[in-house]
Each structure stands twice: as structure tokens, then as C-alpha cells.
Amino acid sequence: MVDVGATSEQAPSNTALVRRIPWDKILLWAPFFAALYVLRSLILLIFMTVLLSYFVRRLVEAMQGRLPRDVHGVWIDRLLTLAAFAIITLVLFMIGSLLGPKLYQQGQTLLIRMQQLRPEQAFDSLLSNTVGSLSFWEHYGKPGEKRYEEALAEFQKDDQLGLGAYRSFGSQLSAVQADFETTYHDATLKSLRTEMASGGKSSASFDQWLANTVAPKLLAAKRDDYLARWSDKHPERSSSPRVSPTTRDAQIEEAIAQEIKSKPDQLARWKQEWEQQTISRRMRALRSSPAYRKDFETVYEAERRQNPREFPYSFADFEKLEEAYGKGRAAFQKTFQETIADSPDARPLIEADFRQETESRLAQQWWKSNPLAISIQRYLRLDGSKLLGSLGGWSQEALQAAVVLPIELLTAIMLAFFVTLDWKNLVKSVRCLSDSSLRDFYREYAPALSIFCRLLGRTFEVQALVALANSLLSLVTLWLLGVSNLFFLVSLIFVCSLIPVVGILLASIPVTLSATLQTDGSLLLGAEAFIAIAAVQFFEGCFLNPRIVGNLLHLHPVTSVSVLTIGGFLFGVWGILLATPVTVFVIDVVVLRRSIPGITDGAGLEPTATDE
């Protein structure tokens, strides 16, 4: 039998549950999230525009706080906005002037080294500096121990001196050549652009190259098209027998050159190609001139002063070894033994040579016989193509992002400029919606979006302070360890540290690899670099986050790490970036309905005295 009483009691209960659902809010927010989904390709642009607008308004409000209360208004706000953009531009210019050249040089050097590096050489170096370094320590210990000294003596007795130096000399030579090419490229490019500027729109050498090289090439590629255009423009000349084909082609080539100069995009492209060809031609000429060795010595000595462990030879010895390196291993060994091994200060170089050769030999033994190494080789044979395909896909996505990001950043700067420049009138215009037919949407959206945008800006303001502290601490520790490409790595640490808590852990991966694979690197140096970054992370977690993030956002570090993990798993990069502000918004505003000092104070778009 059916229990009618129980059923009749359950039905009102279900009806009451349905009635408790805030259907009005769901209907109001559904169009917003639908629009957000449709505009998902513009999320990055919207995100950067909101952040830039927040920072500019923060600066404007700080300057307004120093003015008398009666000095307010739309034009004052606009003047302060222009001043804020000028201050931000000046600060970025100063930072770029101080760090930009060094950062660019190290990035260019790394790029050239990667282009010159062979895959098998990189793999051998990775094995030697990791597995080989660990095996060396297990077998021979450290200098001074009996087993170490006996192995070193046997190494010298067996006529193996120079083998380790031969293995590492190629990377040393590539590093110096990369630094020399970067230095020469920058100096020559600066000279060429000065020449272009002094010659007006284009220099005489560029005009000559454009007329003698580019125009004939374009005419040959599209000859029929250019002939037809010339005939249409000069019908009397095309039918005249006095105009020879040579004269006609010269006139067409001159017109092509003038057409290129009249189009800024084409002119910039051909100028860039001319600069690269000119630099390459001058570099070839320099290599065959007596001044080349002098300039090369200057770059080498500068590198040696900065990284004495990576470049241990005097330039005179380096030249001898460079000449012998091109003749093969036997010639290099002979030169090394005659030049280096017989010198009074040979002990450190002999030990380095012994260590490099032994680490390489132990690494190769491990790779050929260890079960784990055999499993890795089997995996690479079976799934290597899939791995390369994945790496290719990631590289393509990174390249697309590198192309799109500057364009979207410039667009965001322009949007933020126009939004903040007319901020007060824009706010008044939006407030008019409170008395319109859209007042329900306005009352629902305006306070919530205002609070969230402020919270988003505050989150990244706080995280920028944490990132700056992480970068300064990392700069000091990595410099003390002797890690190369310091400014490039510290800049990477700063960018990664903008991701709360886990960002600096992500940055530890390239830092550790760089310390391990640099010319004088090892597994020990990589471990020391990783420990240094971990110490910075510990300092951030124990002191910076509780004091800065905790006090300003009122979010416990455990909660922060948890939501970052969940956000990253569910929504990828956007989940990591937005996890903290969304969590604070949900906990404080939606659930607990409590105010957040400096964020919910005055939130919404209600009129204030200063806006009138």
C-alpha cells in the first residue's frame, strides 16, 4: 500500500526546496556568463585592460588624496590620469634602459647557443652533469681523499690529459662566439640606424641596395604585371621605339623603389632585411681582418671576468687550444699537455679535466647498462615520435602566443587609457542605468563586478610585491652560487612569481636546468640552485604570504595552495591566475557577506561626493 500521508508531506518539502533556489539571480546572471562564453577569445584582452585600468586609477586616487578637497573635477581627474600614464611610462623606460640591454644580450646569447648546440652534445652534457656527477662522487669522493688522488694520478699516467677539456671546449668556444656575435650585432645595428636617421627617410646605402638588389628581384618575379602597369601609366613611351628595354626596366625599377618607400610596412620589412644582410656582410669582412682577434679578445676577457670558472684559460692559451681543436682530439690533447699541464698553476685545470672525462665515461656506462636507462631508451624508441609531436605542438602554441601577446597588450593599453581618461563621465553614464529598464541588471551586476575587479587588481598588486621580493632574493643567492645568465633567469622568476605560491616552483625548473647545463655546471650546482629557490619559496610561504597576502586578502596559505591546484586542474592557466580572487570573492562576499577593507568600501557605482 502507498503511504499517502508521507507522500503529501514530501511534495510540499520538494516544492519549498525548489522555491528556495534564487531563480531571479540565475536568470539575471545567465546572460552575463553567456556573453562571457561568446567573448572567451577576448578574455586575455579584457583581463589586461582591467588590471591596467586598476593600477592607473590607484595611482590617480593616490595623487588626488594629496590635493585639497575642493580641487576635484573631471578635468583634474583627466590631468592626473595623463600624469599617471606618464609616470608609468617613465618607470618602464627607466627599468628597460637599466635591465633591457643586459636581458636582451643574455637572451640573444642563449638563443645563439641553442642554435649552435647539437642534440647529441646537449644530451651527453646532461648525462655527464647529472648521472655522471653523482657517480663520480660515489666512486671517487672529493679532492684530498685517497681514492680520488689515486684515480687522478692514474688518469695522468695513462696519457688521458686533455680528454675532458676537449669535450667541454666546444661549448666554451660556442659561448664566446655567441657573445661576440651578439655584441657585434647590437653595435652594428645601432650604427646602421644612426646612419639611417642622419640620412633622412633612408640612407644612401639603403637606397642603393633597394635600387640594385630589391627592385630587380621584384621585377623579375612579377615582370608581366609591372610591364602592364608601366604601359598603362606611360602609353606614349611603351609604343615609342626610342625607349629601349634597358631604359624601360630602369624606370620600372625606380618606380618599384619609390613605391616601397611610400608604404611604411614594406619599407620597415625591407629595412630589416637590409640591416641583417649588412651585419652579416660586415661580420664576414671582420673575421678576415686583423681587428677580429683584438675584438674577440675583448669579449673573451669580459666573459672571463664575469665567469672565471666557465672560462679558466688565458686568452693566449685559449687561442692555442682553439687552433688545435679544429685539428682533432689528438692535436688538442698534445697542445693541452704542452700548454696547460706543464704550467705552475695547472692543478685546478687538471682536476677539472679529470672530472669532466671521468663523469662522461661513467655517464655513458650508466646509459648502456643501467636497467632504468634501458627502460628510458625503450620508451624513446616506442613513444619518441609522440613526444616530439607534443613538443612541436607546445612550441607552435608558444610562438602564436609570442606573436599575439604584444598586439593584445598594446590594445589593452589603449583601451585602459581611454577608459581611465574619461573615468568620471563613464561612471556617471553607467549609473544612469539604475533608472532605466535595465535597472535590475544594473543593481545585480554593478556592485559584484566592481568588487571583483577591485579584488582582481588588489590580488595582482600584492603578488607583484611578492614577485619583486622573490626576484631580489633569487638574484642575490644565484649570484653567490655563480649561475650564468643571471638577469634572464631572474626576469623569468619575476614573471612566474606573479602566479601565487606555485609560480616560483615553476621557475625553479629552468633555473635548475640552466645551472646544471652551463659550461662549468654540474648536478651539485643544479641542486644548490634548486635549494636556493626552495629557500626563497620557504621565505615566501612563511613570511611574505602570511604578512602580505594574508593581511591584505585574508586568505590562509593552505587555502591558497588548494584552490590554485584545483583551479589549475580544472581550468588550466586561467584557473591558476583567477583562483585567488575568485575564492576570496566567494568566501567573503557571497558566503560570509563580510567587507574586505579597501575593496568593498565604497564598492559599487553609487554616487560619491568627489564624483559630483
Side-chain angles (χ1 to χ4, degrees), residues 19 42 53 56-57 73-74 88 162 202 237 242 271 273 287 354 398 410 416 424 444 509 518 520:
R19 288 177 178 174
L42 300 177
S53 300
V56 171
R57 289 305 303 172
V74 174
I88 292 173
S202 59
R237 297 182 189 178
R242 291 181 296 177
K271 276 184 178 180
E273 185 173 333
R287 288 185 185 278
F354 161 63
L410 289 175
K424 289 185 177 290
E444 185 67 28
I509 299 173
Q518 66 184 52
D520 60 336

Side-chain angles (χ1 to χ4, degrees), residues 115-166:
Q115 291 173 344
Q116 295 176 345
L117 194 65
R118 293 173 298 176
E120 61 274 10
Q121 181 183 357
F123 182 73
D124 290 342
S125 177
L126 177 63
L127 277 182
S128 298
N129 291 342
T130 52
V131 176
S133 179
L134 184 61
S135 299
F136 181 91
W137 182 81
E138 290 177 350
H139 283 82
Y140 305 109
K142 57 184 180 181
E145 294 185 16
K146 182 179 179 181
R147 52 180 178 166
Y148 178 93
E149 298 298 335
E150 289 177 351
L152 177 60
E154 186 178 351
F155 177 79
Q156 293 177 268
K157 188 185 302 182
D158 291 344
D159 197 29
Q160 299 184 62
L161 277 177
L163 287 177
Y166 179 77

Side-chain angles (χ1 to χ4, degrees), residues 373-389:
I374 295 173
S375 299
I376 295 174
Q377 295 175 52
R378 186 183 301 113
Y379 168 77
L380 291 176
R381 283 195 298 269
L382 295 176
D383 299 327
S385 58
K386 294 181 181 178
L387 181 61
L388 290 176

